[in-house]
Each structure stands twice: as C-alpha cells, then as structure tokens.
Amino acid sequence: MYLVLVYDIKLDVQGAKVLRNVFKICKKYLTHIQNSVFEGELSDGQLLKLKIEIQKYLRQDIDSCIIFKGRNNIWMQKEFITDEDDKTSQFL
Amino acid sequence: MYLVLVYDIKLDVQGAKVLRNVFKICKKYLTHIQNSVFEGELSDGQLLKLKIEIQKYLRQDIDSCIIFKGRNNIWMQKEFITDEDDKTSQFL
C-alpha cells in the first residue's frame, strides 16, 4: 500500500526530542519529501510497526500525525508548488 | 478532483505574514485538517486559482508546498495517529 504521512510536532520543551525521534523512525520506513511529509510503499505489517514506534513519542493531545493511505500511488499525482530541490536537509 | 495540500513555511522575518496569507487562501478553497495540512474537492479551475494565489506569497527557494491529487477520495483512507480533536485552531 502507498501512503503519505504528515506530522506536526508542538515544539515545546519536549518537542525537539519528539521531533528527532519521530523523524528518525519515519525515515527508516519512508522517503522524506518535505519538512514534515513522508511518502512510500509499506506492507500492513510495516505500517503497524511504524505506528507502534512513533506512538511511543507522539503526545496524543498536542502533536498531530495523519496518514493518507491508498492501494497504490497510481491514483495519486504529486505536484510541487515550490522548488523541489532538497528542502529535506533539515536533519542530517 | 480530490486533493491534499501540505505546506512548510520558513518562519523567518517575512514568514509569519506569508503563513497568514497562505493559510487564509487555503482555507477559502479547502478544509483545514491539521496545522499545515488541507484537504478537499476542487475543480481544475479552482485548483488553478488557488495555485496562482498562494504562489504570490510562497518563496520558491525557502518555502515548501506539495499537492497530492487524485480523481476522488475513494482511493484514500485518512488515519489520525494522534487525537483528532481540533488542533486546527492555530488561527482564528
């Protein structure tokens, strides 16, 4: 299955650590395409593992994370409205 | 057509103004579902107008904006990994 994951982490005292960990986990499973946006093809099992791992860090009441899932990416066209050069270098 | 729009605005000196304007324009055309994420059904004409309007404010080299488009949202399941209560109240 193809999916797009978008998160918004509240950058309070704990936020930087949450962001670092969530980013690292997402990069393990998906392709980072924009600051808080990842995409990729995952099996059900991989998606379940990803969710379990990130939920250890995400704070349910103040952080946001949404996954858009589809059978495959044929349905979906991706259009960059701004330059596409790598703005994903926020983290090494 | 159904679409998901995600933006990342660099919050430098100009950034707050850019964010306010881009947010206002996106809200005119789409539903705000998470801090920097909007979704909705638009015609080709509406999408063109939205793009023209936001591109007046987006800085090509430092801001990011991606639109994921599909014929309709049947393909697509949306899953909130965190609480779904309204974290969209960032702006009045």
Side-chain angles (χ1 to χ4, degrees):
Chain A
M1 122 189 62
Y2 174 78
L3 60 94
V4 172
L5 181 150
V6 185
Y7 59 63
D8 259 293
I9 310 289
K10 187 168 177 61
L11 288 180
D12 56 7
V13 178
Q14 287 294 327
K17 191 178 156 221
V18 172
L19 183 57
R20 250 193 333 271
N21 284 299
V22 170
F23 178 85
K24 239 184 323 182
I25 294 166
C26 289
K27 267 205 107 167
K28 222 171 42 173
Y29 292 92
L30 298 168
T31 304
H32 183 222
I33 57 172
Q34 185 183 285
N35 288 355
S36 57
V37 185
F38 291 76
E39 70 172 348
E41 293 270 349
L42 290 186
S43 68
D44 290 334
Q46 288 169 318
L47 175 57
L48 188 59
K49 279 167 71 182
L50 165 61
K51 287 194 291 188
I52 290 168
E53 288 184 45
I54 56 178
Q55 282 173 322
K56 281 184 213 147
Y57 296 100
L58 288 168
R59 288 129 340 146
Q60 284 293 323
D61 53 345
I62 58 173
D63 297 327
S64 296
C65 182
I66 304 176
I67 293 179
F68 298 93
K69 292 179 283 187
R71 258 158 298 159
N72 52 51
N73 67 351
I74 294 169
W75 88 277
M76 204 274 307
Q77 278 178 314
K78 184 174 59 188
E79 182 179 354
F80 284 85
I81 304 303
T82 52
D83 296 352
E84 204 189 314
D85 67 1
D86 186 6
K87 291 191 184 76
T88 62
S89 58
Q90 180 187 16
F91 299 96
L92 293 178
Chain B
M1 114 194 64
Y2 174 78
L3 60 92
V4 173
L5 180 148
V6 185
Y7 59 63
D8 259 291
I9 311 288
K10 188 167 175 65
L11 288 179
D12 55 8
V13 178
Q14 287 294 330
K17 191 180 155 217
V18 171
L19 182 57
R20 245 190 339 267
N21 283 298
V22 170
F23 179 85
K24 238 183 330 181
I25 294 165
C26 290
K27 266 204 106 167
K28 219 169 50 171
Y29 291 92
L30 298 167
T31 304
H32 185 221
I33 55 172
Q34 185 183 284
N35 286 356
S36 58
V37 185
F38 291 77
E39 69 171 348
E41 294 269 349
L42 291 186
S43 67
D44 290 334
Q46 289 169 317
L47 176 56
L48 188 59
K49 279 167 71 182
L50 165 63
K51 285 195 291 189
I52 290 168
E53 289 183 47
I54 57 177
Q55 281 174 323
K56 281 185 213 150
Y57 297 100
L58 288 169
R59 292 134 332 152
Q60 285 293 326
D61 53 342
I62 58 174
D63 296 326
S64 297
C65 181
I66 306 176
I67 292 179
F68 299 92
K69 292 178 281 186
R71 258 157 301 167
N72 52 50
N73 66 350
I74 293 170
W75 86 275
M76 203 276 305
Q77 281 175 312
K78 185 173 59 188
E79 182 180 353
F80 284 85
I81 305 302
T82 52
D83 296 352
E84 205 190 316
D85 67 2
D86 183 7
K87 290 192 185 77
T88 62
S89 57
Q90 180 189 17
F91 300 93
L92 292 178

